[in-house]
Amino acid sequence: MGEAPQYVAARVQQALAEDARTNELGIRVDIRGDQLFLRGQVSEPGQRDRLGEVAHETAPALHLHNEIRILDASAPGEDEHLD
C-alpha cells in the first residue's frame, strides 16, 4: 500500500474542512484496509452527498461508506424556555 491510513484520513479530513462545497469540521474519517468511513451529522441531505463526493475525489482508490446521518430539524421538540 502507498500512504499510511492515518495520513490518508488526515488528508480527507482536511479536504472536507477546506473544500468550498463542504467546509465541514465535525465529520469523523476512519480508514480500515481499503474502506473509508465517514461518520457524523449534518443538517441536510445535500451536504451529506457533497461530503461523500469530496471524500471520494480525495481518496478515489478507497471504497466509501458514507454513514453521515441527517439531523431531523423538521420536528421540533419541546419549546425551550429561557429565563
Side-chain angles (χ1 to χ4, degrees):
M1 189 171 149
E3 231 176 336
Q6 64 267 29
Y7 295 125
V8 178
R11 196 161 35 86
V12 171
Q13 197 124 35
Q14 182 175 4
L16 297 178
E18 294 179 354
D19 192 288
R21 294 169 290 176
T22 52
N23 294 117
E24 193 70 52
L25 295 172
I27 301 302
R28 215 171 77 227
V29 178
D30 294 314
I31 295 179
R32 294 200 170 84
D34 65 348
Q35 311 290 306
L36 185 150
F37 296 87
L38 298 180
R39 296 185 178 107
Q41 296 179 336
V42 295
S43 58
E44 50 121 344
Q47 181 70 345
R48 178 185 187 273
D49 296 340
R50 287 187 295 273
L51 288 162
E53 289 171 14
V54 171
H56 178 70
E57 290 168 9
T58 306
L62 299 178
H63 182 71
L64 177 65
H65 297 274
N66 191 339
E67 298 179 355
I68 297 171
R69 296 184 308 152
I70 310 300
L71 291 175
D72 184 6
S74 63
E78 289 184 29
D79 290 340
E80 183 177 344
H81 298 284
L82 301 176
D83 294 323

